[in-house]
Amino acid sequence: MKETYHKWYSQSLNREIEMLIYGHQGYPVILFPSSQGRYYEGKDFGLVQTAHWYVERGFIQIFCPDSVDALSWYNKGIHPADRVRNHVWYDQMLLHELVPSIRWNTAGGKVAVAGASFGGYHAANFAFKHPELVSHMFSMSGAFDIKMFMDGYYDDNVYFNNPVDFLPGSNHPALWQMNIVLGTSEWDICLDANKHLSHLLNQKGINHWLDIRGWKEHDWPLWQEMFPHYLSLI
């Protein structure tokens, strides 16, 4: 597969951000890393390799941006308000810098988003906040309630970056047009989180696939199985 390294100065984050890109053309898929993961995590753990058939034929192109989790949700050295504010700036980077540069790779002007574990949160949060930009959302063993990182603190930024809170009140018509997959398994530590999000989607009549696989752990072998399957839906 063609691999391209890209680094740029993000005005939203006020810092440099790094990314690996796989493929030369095709439907744009943003693949988020797991908790505090780096832009090369998808490669190092073999997740990108599972998509080689689609990438090499030009059906999809995978964009693996860095995360700022260590500066946001996991940064216990700063106030919770600053943690979530750092994530807001990350969301702004995606919204104003990354997505506009890749969304017109296809005629529809939309992207697909995916991620495993905490990357599943990132995928779901971005997709449900900006559904007009996202055609497919593939969460693999995601968890979707970030209040656990806030030490009891709560403000509008927390609300609007916590899908289980803001999704019930959202009526953006593009939510009903999105292809949504919530992947999990019987032994997944995030099984209940996925069942709960599925319940919220069902309450709104939003079509989705709650994919509960067999007795498999919350780990890379499960996600390596899921990822190419979900890409086949694009």
Side-chain angles (χ1 to χ4, degrees):
M1 288 184 290
K2 178 183 178 182
E3 177 185 287
T4 307
Y5 171 78
H6 184 52
K7 180 167 72 171
W8 75 100
Y9 185 83
S10 168
Q11 297 293 334
S12 301
L13 291 167
N14 197 29
R15 67 190 294 267
E16 289 185 330
I17 189 87
E18 296 174 277
M19 178 169 66
L20 285 175
I21 305 169
Y22 294 92
H24 58 284
Q25 66 178 30
Y27 206 97
V29 178
I30 300 174
L31 178 61
F32 294 100
S34 62
S35 301
Q36 304 187 72
R38 299 298 310 278
Y39 64 96
Y40 44 77
E41 180 190 77
K43 174 185 178 180
D44 287 355
F45 286 94
L47 196 60
V48 170
Q49 181 59 31
T50 67
H52 72 91
W53 191 89
Y54 305 99
V55 174
E56 290 168 354
R57 286 161 178 78
F59 295 145
I60 66 165
Q61 193 172 21
I62 302 178
F63 298 82
C64 300
D66 219 345
S67 77
V68 297
D69 295 342
L71 301 174
S72 57
W73 306 117
Y74 286 85
N75 190 353
K76 293 295 186 179
I78 60 176
H79 191 276
D82 296 321
R83 294 175 209 163
V84 67
R85 192 176 298 115
N86 284 342
H87 174 76
V88 168
W89 291 332
Y90 183 70
D91 181 78
Q92 292 297 300
M93 179 276 293
L94 298 169
L95 178 63
H96 297 302
E97 299 173 31
L98 177 55
V99 170
S101 70
I102 65 175
R103 61 182 291 219
W104 297 113
N105 285 12
T106 56
K110 293 190 175 185
V111 302
V113 293
S117 194
F118 203 57
Y121 157 77
H122 284 297
N125 188 61
F126 186 83
F128 296 150
K129 284 184 69 175
H130 312 290
E132 71 281 2
L133 298 175
V134 178
S135 61
H136 299 73
M137 194 285 287
F138 306 136
S139 170
M140 299 169 281
S141 298
F144 313 102
D145 191 338
I146 49 79
K147 290 193 289 290
M148 61 182 287
F149 296 101
M150 291 291 97
D151 301 332
Y153 178 81
Y154 199 84
D155 64 8
D156 284 351
N157 281 337
V158 178
Y159 175 85
F160 285 110
N161 289 281
N162 202 40
V164 297
D165 285 350
F166 74 76
L167 181 61
S170 177
N171 291 303
H172 197 298
L175 287 169
W176 282 265
Q177 301 166 4
M178 192 183 303
N179 293 282
I180 301 169
V181 179
L182 306 178
T184 184
S185 67
E186 295 290 352
W187 284 350
D188 188 359
I189 58 175
C190 293
L191 174 61
D192 289 342
N194 283 269
K195 287 181 175 179
H196 179 57
L197 184 57
S198 176
H199 173 69
L200 296 179
L201 292 168
N202 283 329
Q203 285 186 318
K204 297 182 72 66
I206 297 175
N207 188 45
H208 65 286
W209 177 24
L210 175 62
D211 178 25
I212 304 178
R213 308 229 162 181
W215 284 263
K216 300 184 179 186
E217 301 286 351
H218 178 100
D219 208 349
W220 293 100
L222 173 62
W223 309 328
Q224 290 165 1
E225 176 185 295
M226 290 174 168
F227 191 45
H229 185 182
Y230 299 162
L231 291 176
S232 72
L233 303 176
I234 295 179

